Structures are given as C-alpha cells and as structure tokens.
Amino acid sequence: MFDLVWLIPLCPLIGSVINGLLGKKIKNETIIGGIAAGSVFASFMVACGILFQLLSLPAEQRVFEKTIFTWIQSGNFKADIGFLIDPLSAIMLMVVTGIGFLIHLYSIGYMHGEEGFYRYFCYLNLFTFSMLCLVAGNNLLLMFIGWEGVGLCSYLLIGYYFHKKSAGDAGKKAFVMNRVGDFGFLLGLFTLFWYLGGTHNVWTVNFRELAANADLIPAGALVTAVCLFFFIGATGKSAQIPLYTWLPDAMEGPTPVSALIHAATMVTAGVYMIARMNFLYIKSPTALLVIACVGAATALFAATIGTAQNDIKRVLAYSTVSQLGYMFLAMGVGAFGAGVFHLMTHAFFKACLFLGSGSVIHGMHHALHHEHSDADPQDMRNMGGLKSKMPITFITFLLATIAIAGIPGFAGFFSKDEILWQAFANPHHHQANILLWAAGAVAAGLTAFYMFRLVFMTFFGKTRLSDKAFHHLHESPWVITVPLVVLAFLSVVGGYIGVPAVIGHTFGNFPNYFELWLDPVFAYSKHYVEASGAHGVHNVALEWGLMGVSVLIACGGIGLAAALYLINPGFPEKFVAAFPVLHRAVYNKWYVDEIYDFMIVNPCKSLGQFLWRGFDVVVVDGMVNGVAATVRGFSGLFRHVQTGFVHNYAFTMVAGVVLIVGVYLFR
Amino acid sequence: MESIFFLVVAAVAVLSSILVVTCKNPINSALSLVMTFFCLATFYVMLDAPFMAAIQVIVYAGAIMVLIIFVIMLLNVKAETGKRGTHAVLAGSVLGLFVLFLTCWFLIKGSLTGVPGTITKAQIVAEGHTELIGKAMFTEFLLPFEITSILLLAAIVGAVILAKKKI
Amino acid sequence: MLALHNYLIVSAILFAIGTIGVLTRRNAIVMFMCVEMMLNAVNLTFIAFSRYLGNIDGQVFVFFVMTVAAAEAAVGLALMIAFYKNRESIDVEDINIMKL
C-alpha cells in the first residue's frame, strides 16, 4: 500500500482538473459534487490503508519514502517530487483526507443552488491536493509548493463570492499576509541550505537527510535565525501575532471553506512544519521561547477579542486563532507531540463547530428569507431558542463546545491539559514557565466563557426572531447533519488515544498511545534534551493539581456565561455601559487592523502612488513619449528639404558632389 | 600654329556655351549649342579621332539638336520673361565656379597615373580609326553594345507613349 | 601635339558653365541643353585621355555615352511635351506639387 502513496495527492488533483475544465458543461450538481467528494474519499481510503500498514510494522521501521521523479538537478542541488510516510505524516494525511471528505460532502448540501458550484469544488479539490503535498512531501521544496498552493486556494475560496467587494478584499488580505510569511519561510530555507552546503558540503533539502545531518548544525545564532525565519512563515500561514488579521476577515468565504481551511487544515500547516523540523528547533532555546511567548500571547489576545463579537463566525475565527496559539505554545515548550495532538482534536471540534454554525446560518437565512427581512443571518443578536427547531445541530454543537472548553472526558480536555502541564513543567524556559502557564490558563477560561456565550445566545433562551421567521426554521438536510454527527462523535472519543500518562497510569498502566506513536519522529529532540542535562518538573501531585485548577477555570467560565446570558440576559448591556471604552476597544479588535493600515498599508499605498505619478508617468512615459516627440521634431525639420523645386534638388546634388570631391582632394 | 588654332576654337566653344546659358530666347540657346558641338567635333579631329567627330556631328548636332528645336517650335516656347530670383542665380553661379575651381585644382595638383597603351597615332593612321573602334567594340565591349540596343528600344517605346494624345 | 591639360581645362570650363546653366535657368528645355553640354565636356575629357594614353577604351565609352544621351533626349523631350499638355508651361518653378 505504501507504493500507492502518490494516489493520495493525485485523486483530488484529477477531481479538480475535471471539475475545472468540464464543470460548466456538467450541469448536474450531484455529479460534480460526487466527483469532488469521491476523489477525496479515494485518498482517504489509501491513507487508511497506509495507516494500517504502518500499524502492523514495529516502531523503528515505520518510515517509508517514495520518490516519484527528480524535479531539479543542478550542480550540487537535487530536489525530487517524493512522499514521506512516517507516523506524523500518517496522522496529518488522515486528518486532511478524513475531515476533507466530510466537508466535501457537507458542501454538496450547503452550496446547493449556487451559480459557481463547479468552481467551488474545483478550488476545494485543488486545495486538498496542495495540502496533501504539504503534509506528505519529503523535502522542503515540495512542502513549499503545497504551502503556496494552499495560500492560493485560500485566496480563491475566500473571494468565492467575488461580487461582494468585502470578499475580494478579504481574499487579497489573506494572500498578501500569507506572502509576507512565505518570504520568511524562503529565507529560512535558503539559509539552512546555504549553511549546510557551504560549510559541511551537504547539499540537500530532503527531510530525512536533514534530520540525519542534524548533528552538523551547531546551536547558536545561525540555527536561531533559521528557526525564526521559518516561524515567520508559520505566523503568516497559521495566523499568529503579528500576521493573524487575515483570518477573521476570511470568514467572508462560504462556511465549509472556513471549516476546512481555516480550522482544520491550512492553518495547521505552520504547526506541522515546526513538528517536521523539530530537530532544528530543539537546538535553539531562544527560538523556542519566542514561539512559546507568541503562542501564549496570541491565545490570550484572540480570546479577549472573541468575548465581544456578535457575528457567530467571527467568534469561531478568533477561537481558531486562540487555539492555534495553544498549539504554538506547545511547540515552543518542546512538547511537539502534545501540539500535534491538539492539532488533531482541534480539527475535530472546530470543524464541527464551523459546520454547525453553517447549519445555523443556513436555517436562519431560510427563515429570514421567508419574512423578507434583510437582517444579518450570522448575527447572534438575531438568534435565540434555536435548540427546539434544530435539535441535531444543537446537540452536535453543544458536544463540540464542551470539548473545546476543556471539560474532562471530552477530546479537548486531554490535549489542552497536556499543553498546559508541559508549559508549566518543561525543561527549557525555567522562569518564564509559570507566566506561560498562567496565560494559557486565563485563555482557557475565556475560551470556555465565549464559547458558551455563543451557545447560550444562539440556542437557548427566548428567540429574538419574529414568530413568522421562527416558524419557518427547520433542521438541515442529511448531507449537512451526517458530517456534524461524525465530527461530534470524534470530538467526544477522539481524545482517548492520547490520554496523558498520569491519568492513564491511574486507571491501569495505559501509556499515552499518541505520544508513543509519534516517538520515532521526535526521537532526536528527546535525546538532545536528555543529553543536555536539562530537567523538567516531574511531580504527579502537582500535575493533578494543575489539572484540577484548569477544570475549575473552565467551569468558572461556563458559569459566568450562564449567569450573563442565560439567567440574567440584561446584565451584559449594563456591563458594556459601565466600561464603554474597554468594550469598544475589544469589540474593534484592539484596533490592530487600523494600526496596520496606518503604519504599513498607507505608506505602501503612498509609495505606490508616488512611483506611479512621479516615476512611471513622468520618467518612463516621458522617455517613451520623448523619443517619439524627438523623432517627430527631427522629421519636421527634415521635411523642409523636399521643396518640390527642381533647382533645389539639382543644387543639392552638385553641392554634395563638390563636398565629397573636396574632401578627397584636400585630405 | 596648332596652339593658335586650338586657342581660337576653344574661345569660340566657351563663348557659345556662355551664350547657351544666358540667351533669353530658347532658339538662340539651341543654335549656340550647335556651335559648341561643332567646336567639340573640331577638337576630336585634332585628337586623332575623326570617327568620333563624325558621330558627334551626326548624332548630337544632327539628331538631338534638331529634335530639341522641333520641340521648341512645337510647344511654341516664348522667350523667358519676368524677373529671375537673384538668390538662385547667385547660389548657382557660386557653386558652378566652385566646381571649376575644384577641377582646376585637380589638374594642377594631380598627375597622370594611367598605364599607356599601344594605340599610337601611327597605328590609327595605318589601320583606320573606325576599324580600331569596331574591333574594340565588337569583341571586348559586345555586351554593352547589345544592352545599348535594348536601351534604345525602350527609349523609343517610352517616347511614343509619353507624347501620345491618347493611350 | 598639344599638352593634355589644355583639353582638360577647356573641358572643365565647359562643365562648369553647364552646371551654372542647370542651376540658373528656368526653362526646362534650356536646362536639358545645359545637361547635354556637361555630357559633351566629359566626352572631350575621355577622348583626350584616350589619345594621350594610347588606349581605345575611352573612345568606345564616348560612343556609348552618345547613344545614351540620344535615348535620354528622346524620352526627356517626350516627357516635357506631356507636361506641357497638362500645364501650358515648361517653367520648372511651376513643377512643384511634389513638395511636403
């Protein structure tokens, strides 16, 4: 089955090409959706097969590399198109193809009746192909191709409703910010390649070869620089401070796009990249500290913004940014396995949340349409009491929310708790650890608060819709609810493969299966840390204690949300009236977009204007027009030679002869 | 003796050429030109080229000038009236004098570098000038001769077509 | 036998006078006659050189020059007749519609 790994990216690519070229002719929505979803399902089957084959092998042999062909061979540099199968890429493949398939299925129902139906599925398949290249590629260049490809498809899909100016703007914003990050990625790639090749004559960008030669790279300024460059790329792609502002705007795209790209797959590319390059990152404590701080700060910052938003998708977008902050926090403290685990569980419950919100919006849109009202179907202030009318959506949404809030027993609890414990107990950043843990804990409380605020405002209480509209609300069709059910189920049980060791040992010697599975990938880092002699904290009682603290914080958040939005619905307005400045700042996203506009965007625009008016029009056009004007001027002078008089011509001829003869004579 | 004769003929030639340029009546110009041609024919005889002298009189004075006089009479060209632009006259004269100056300078400063050939006066007298020219023309210069005949054909056709009333 | 340069000086004078005539006269036929005079001056040069270098080639060339001059005369005068039909004048200063 390993040999068929090339089928995994190929099937979505074929689906994309067919839908792109022939989609307009195939008018039947079922066929288009079937081709798209079917191709991803085929990839999913192959990925399952690969996973089972990996499981059957002993741990040391779980690595397989297949080269399709050599792409570039130039002097010392060789890059091929090839795929690497190891435990990390197997997980990523399952997540991408599995959730991708569910979202393709969901989209068939959600995008029903849209004019650009085939275009949507073409782009979605192209995105899946790029993402699969990213996670399965065996060298940095192929990963970069996938990296750029997902950025492109993100732009195409965010700007799907291109008739709306806001959608086009959001797409451009996403692409430009991604490109800024990609520049950092390229700088890191070049520096690493140049260093290894120039100093040690190892010319490669292949992951396994890089890992095998990792000992050649000394700890110091160079490896810190490389790590930070790659991290800049990760901040762009995975929406961390400072390059996160594109993600909330990206909610202009259709909801399944938000679910797939901005919850489950593209934004996790940065996390995957750091996990892949863990042998570099472990050598640079400075880079790890930077990553951890940025992650923790983002988690906290985004959580604060999420508490005041009214658009259901915006809340989820800021929640995504915040949870990604958690993943980077994990990476930054050296807990690579925990970060990848949170990536997986987050994919489950965030996709479920987004798809659920899509179902809600779908229903609201339908209901408001009947009433001929143009109220915003995405604004939570127009919702309320939906649980009686959309029960399946409600239950799946509630399950996913409980998971994200970190209630014990559900998937989010195990992953988030592991991260918080590692933040506290890791051997790398001794003084900063407690601050990192505190930031993470506060963010967890805020997460629980605003997620349950969302649930209470949307599903509970008295409805704020009119009676006529409320009457027309109904549950979504099966293509929408079946993926919701599957994802909710995974949100509940998906965490049990990664139960932290401390809990597992209490209930009967169960190890952390997920961490064991990923051990071969992070083995180098583990040895490096042990060899350096750094010690983490290993206190079982402390670990249980901190776990309890985080559960308490989560319950506190839920309680506060219940108090404010369920029991005493009038209180929030009084709170807002009491702190108007604070509320305005938080509601307006701490004015970060405005600051960027002022500091970066407007100077760039002015420079562009100047270069256009001052340089392009005056200098370039001036030169071109000047040449033409000069020619015209000269020809205007010369045409006076043609007088039409024979005498003038004869005179000129004789004068010319005299001149030439004279020159010869007197030379 | 010979030089006096040469001087007289040269003076007549120059005088009649000046008359060509300055006469107002075109008939007068034409007749002066005929006079010049006759002087040139005399020069050719003095230069031991009697055949060329004969051809000069027959073709130039006899055919071309007759044609020109016919055309002048056909078009009834009157004597030139009206003021001539003095700028043109002045510029033209200056340039013409400059041409004269250049050619004289050539004459004074230059030297004869051609390779002398074999045709001497004795041979011309012995063999006959016409025969010598014929020998050269029909052997070495046969191709130009044939081309010239085609040229004459083209000239005939052209002249007929250009001057017709209706084509 | 006279020196060569005598004939050459006469030829030069005739050529210069012909040039002045071409640049000065307005009547097209008189201009043409001056051109013929220039050609004849050159013919004289050729024959003088041919005589003094003992080479017959010069005289053959003069032969051809005369032939070409004859053809040129025929065509040129026909052209002037055609022009006269259009404009009733053969003053070259009236022939100036080809100016820019």
Side-chain angles (χ1 to χ4, degrees):
Chain A
M1 198 48 122
F2 281 161
D3 277 328
L4 294 175
V5 68
W6 52 273
L7 271 179
I8 298 185
L10 188 70
C11 291
L13 181 64
I14 293 178
S16 165
V17 167
I18 294 179
N19 271 334
L21 293 175
L22 302 174
K24 209 154 184 184
K25 299 224 183 74
I26 307 172
K27 297 291 177 16
N28 190 333
E29 279 185 2
T30 319
I31 295 182
I32 297 176
I35 294 175
S39 58
V40 182
F41 188 70
S43 300
F44 178 64
M45 289 280 104
V46 178
C48 284
I50 288 181
L51 181 67
F52 286 132
Q53 194 169 355
L54 270 182
L55 278 169
S56 68
L57 289 170
E60 313 80 48
Q61 290 180 22
R62 285 179 186 154
V63 70
F64 180 79
E65 196 172 342
K66 179 160 178 71
T67 309
I68 309 291
F69 62 92
T70 303
W71 175 30
I72 304 176
Q73 177 125 34
S74 162
N76 279 322
F77 177 59
K78 182 173 183 289
D80 15 305
I81 304 288
F83 300 109
L84 175 66
I85 300 174
D86 69 356
L88 179 61
S89 66
I91 294 176
M92 295 301 297
L93 283 174
M94 291 294 290
V95 166
V96 172
T97 53
I99 296 188
F101 168 64
L102 287 172
I103 292 181
H104 275 81
L105 198 62
Y106 179 96
S107 305
I108 300 178
Y110 192 81
M111 303 297 286
H112 168 71
E114 283 280 345
E115 193 193 312
F117 194 80
Y118 75 95
R119 183 164 56 96
Y120 175 85
F121 278 102
C122 168
Y123 293 157
L124 209 62
N125 266 0
L126 192 63
F127 169 83
T128 314
F129 161 73
S130 305
M131 191 71 202
L132 290 167
C133 277
L134 203 163
V135 299
N138 71 347
N139 60 59
L140 277 168
L141 271 185
L142 188 55
M143 179 194 248
F144 188 65
I145 294 176
W147 193 273
E148 290 285 343
V150 295
L152 171 71
C153 294
S154 170
Y155 160 76
L156 289 171
L157 283 163
I158 295 172
Y160 174 74
Y161 296 117
F162 58 82
H163 299 291
K164 280 202 300 180
K165 185 177 188 297
S166 55
D169 285 346
K172 276 184 274 187
K173 184 174 181 178
F175 194 71
V176 171
M177 291 191 110
N178 262 244
R179 286 302 276 153
V180 173
D182 294 344
F183 182 62
F185 188 103
L186 279 175
L187 281 178
L189 174 63
F190 294 154
T191 314
L192 181 64
F193 179 73
W194 166 73
Y195 173 75
L196 269 182
T199 321
H200 300 287
N201 215 19
V202 174
W203 301 95
T204 178
V205 286
N206 187 304
F207 286 130
R208 283 178 70 195
E209 286 174 29
L210 282 173
N213 286 305
D215 284 322
L216 293 172
I217 307 173
L222 181 90
V223 75
T224 306
V226 171
C227 293
L228 285 176
F229 283 143
F230 277 122
F231 180 59
I232 294 175
T235 55
K237 193 63 75 185
S238 300
Q240 296 298 290
I241 293 173
L243 296 172
Y244 71 93
T245 51
W246 63 270
L247 200 144
D249 282 4
M251 298 297 118
E252 295 281 344
T255 310
V257 165
S258 307
L260 182 62
I261 297 184
H262 309 124
T265 40
M266 180 175 108
V267 292
T268 58
V271 181
Y272 168 75
M273 186 265 296
I274 295 183
R276 198 33 102 198
M277 310 285 284
N278 65 83
F279 51 86
L280 274 184
Y281 279 93
I282 205 72
K283 290 184 193 259
S284 168
T286 319
L288 285 178
L289 184 61
V290 169
I291 296 176
C293 290
V294 168
T298 310
L300 191 53
F301 190 74
T304 57
I305 303 180
T307 57
Q309 301 302 312
N310 286 321
D311 185 322
I312 193 173
K313 282 177 74 175
R314 290 282 151 127
V315 177
L316 292 175
Y318 284 108
S319 168
T320 304
V321 177
S322 180
Q323 297 299 310
L324 285 166
Y326 271 107
M327 291 179 223
F328 279 101
L329 174 61
M331 293 314 205
V333 296
F336 302 114
V340 176
F341 184 42
H342 194 62
L343 191 160
M344 193 179 81
T345 57
H346 172 263
F348 295 149
F349 52 69
K350 193 46 71 64
C352 183
L353 285 170
F354 264 111
L355 295 184
S357 75
S359 171
V360 166
I361 294 169
H362 192 79
M364 287 284 294
H365 191 81
H366 206 64
L368 287 171
H369 186 71
H370 269 279
E371 201 193 10
H372 303 291
S373 148
D374 37 281
D376 190 1
Q378 295 184 261
D379 196 328
M380 291 193 291
R381 293 173 291 193
N382 294 335
M383 301 181 196
L386 260 52
K387 70 178 194 289
S388 49
K389 285 285 186 171
M390 305 175 86
I392 304 180
T393 309
F394 165 63
I395 294 186
T396 53
F397 204 93
L398 186 64
L399 288 173
T401 312
I402 298 176
I404 195 177
I407 301 298
F410 288 73
F413 168 69
F414 299 118
S415 58
K416 200 182 283 197
D417 220 73
E418 184 68 26
I419 293 178
L420 286 174
W421 169 244
Q422 291 292 340
F424 189 83
N426 72 84
H428 298 279
H429 315 295
H430 305 279
Q431 283 87 14
N433 282 347
I434 194 147
L435 285 173
L436 292 171
W437 176 86
V442 172
L446 284 173
T447 306
F449 171 70
Y450 66 70
M451 285 312 298
F452 271 93
R453 167 178 178 260
L454 196 156
V455 169
F456 292 143
M457 274 180 89
T458 309
F459 291 104
F460 284 81
K462 198 164 148 4
T463 180
R464 289 177 283 277
L465 283 170
S466 71
D467 285 326
K468 182 170 168 212
F470 192 72
H471 182 69
H472 280 287
L473 267 180
H474 57 82
E475 186 58 85
S476 307
W478 69 268
V479 274
I480 292 187
T481 50
V482 163
L484 283 176
V485 170
V486 173
L487 285 168
F489 175 72
L490 285 170
S491 310
V492 174
V493 306
Y496 285 105
I497 53 171
V499 176
V502 76
I503 303 176
H505 283 305
T506 317
F507 287 105
N509 239 359
F510 296 114
N512 188 337
Y513 287 110
F514 196 84
E515 200 138 331
L516 274 182
W517 171 254
L518 283 178
D519 256 345
V521 184
F522 304 128
Y524 182 88
S525 303
K526 204 158 149 190
H527 290 315
Y528 189 88
V529 171
E530 277 165 17
S532 72
H535 290 293
V537 177
H538 291 293
N539 192 332
V540 173
L542 192 57
E543 199 171 339
W544 276 108
L546 286 177
M547 212 182 290
V549 169
S550 64
V551 173
L552 274 175
I553 294 179
C555 291
I558 299 175
L560 188 63
L564 287 178
Y565 292 98
L566 205 54
I567 300 167
N568 195 351
F571 193 75
E573 274 98 43
K574 292 196 210 120
F575 190 82
V576 166
F579 299 97
V581 176
L582 185 65
H583 176 259
R584 214 180 22 248
V586 174
Y587 184 68
N588 285 314
K589 311 161 276 168
W590 298 103
Y591 296 108
V592 172
D593 272 323
E594 285 74 14
I595 295 173
Y596 280 169
D597 261 349
F598 178 71
M599 276 175 48
I600 298 170
V601 176
N602 286 341
C604 278
K605 276 199 210 166
S606 313
L607 184 66
Q609 284 274 355
F610 164 70
L611 283 176
W612 167 48
R613 284 222 187 85
F615 190 75
D616 196 40
V617 169
V618 171
V619 175
V620 176
D621 277 355
M623 275 190 345
V624 173
N625 290 346
V627 168
T630 314
V631 171
R632 200 184 314 134
F634 271 115
S635 65
L637 278 175
F638 279 134
R639 71 177 168 84
H640 290 298
V641 173
Q642 280 217 273
T643 54
F645 289 121
V646 177
H647 277 152
N648 291 0
Y649 296 156
F651 185 86
T652 317
M653 274 190 245
V654 176
V657 168
V658 164
L659 197 70
I660 293 174
V661 167
V663 163
Y664 268 113
L665 190 54
F666 294 110
R667 195 150 55 102
Chain B
M1 185 64 210
E2 201 182 340
S3 42
I4 297 172
F5 182 65
F6 170 79
L7 227 58
V8 169
V9 175
V12 173
V14 170
L15 192 65
S16 52
S17 66
I18 291 175
L19 278 178
V20 169
V21 171
T22 54
C23 276
K24 285 205 172 37
N25 198 335
I27 290 288
N28 292 349
S29 298
L31 291 173
S32 309
L33 190 60
V34 173
M35 191 68 230
T36 315
F37 287 160
F38 271 117
C39 297
L40 280 178
T42 317
F43 279 140
Y44 293 168
V45 169
M46 281 167 64
L47 285 168
D48 300 319
F51 180 64
M52 299 316 297
I55 294 294
Q56 167 91 350
V57 174
I58 293 171
V59 171
Y60 263 114
I64 293 178
M65 288 321 295
V66 168
L67 184 63
I68 287 178
I69 291 177
F70 271 174
V71 168
I72 294 174
M73 288 183 186
L74 181 69
L75 301 182
N76 204 8
V77 180
K78 298 288 193 318
E80 227 173 77
T81 50
K83 204 162 165 3
R84 286 202 226 130
T86 40
H87 297 292
V89 172
L90 191 64
S93 314
V94 166
L95 197 61
L97 287 172
F98 207 65
V99 167
L100 180 62
F101 166 71
L102 269 183
T103 41
C104 289
W105 191 265
F106 251 132
L107 281 174
I108 296 167
K109 290 293 178 184
S111 56
L112 199 60
T113 53
V115 177
T118 54
I119 315 285
T120 57
K121 182 172 175 178
Q123 189 169 4
I124 293 175
V125 169
E127 229 178 297
H129 189 239
T130 316
E131 196 167 321
L132 274 174
I133 290 186
K135 267 200 199 149
M137 184 142 61
F138 294 118
T139 52
E140 209 181 321
F141 296 100
L142 183 60
L143 182 62
F145 179 73
E146 299 296 338
I147 293 173
T148 316
S149 63
I150 297 179
L151 177 79
L152 284 170
L153 176 67
I156 291 169
V157 172
V160 167
I161 295 216
L162 279 172
K164 269 171 79 118
K165 269 207 173 59
K166 278 196 309 205
I167 297 178
Chain C
M1 190 156 90
L2 277 170
L4 174 64
H5 65 262
N6 294 346
Y7 294 101
L8 295 184
I9 289 175
V10 173
S11 163
I13 294 172
L14 283 179
F15 189 83
I17 293 173
T19 309
I20 295 177
V22 166
L23 295 176
T24 312
R25 295 299 300 255
R26 274 163 47 193
N27 194 325
I29 296 183
V30 175
M31 272 177 79
F32 179 71
M33 287 198 286
C34 296
V35 170
E36 290 295 326
M37 190 154 66
M38 286 162 80
L39 281 172
N40 272 286
V42 171
N43 281 353
L44 179 61
T45 311
F46 268 120
I47 293 190
F49 271 120
S50 148
R51 171 70 180 79
Y52 281 93
L53 286 178
N55 206 332
I56 202 71
D57 292 349
Q59 303 195 14
V60 176
F61 197 80
V62 168
F63 198 89
F64 286 126
V65 169
M66 283 189 195
T67 317
V68 170
E72 170 205 346
V75 175
L77 289 169
L79 202 59
M80 281 174 212
I81 292 176
F83 201 83
Y84 183 81
K85 283 201 207 137
N86 265 322
R87 284 183 174 248
E88 292 286 325
S89 151
I90 48 172
D91 188 338
V92 293
E93 299 218 336
D94 293 340
I95 312 171
N96 65 348
I97 52 173
M98 281 270 291
K99 73 170 180 170
L100 274 181

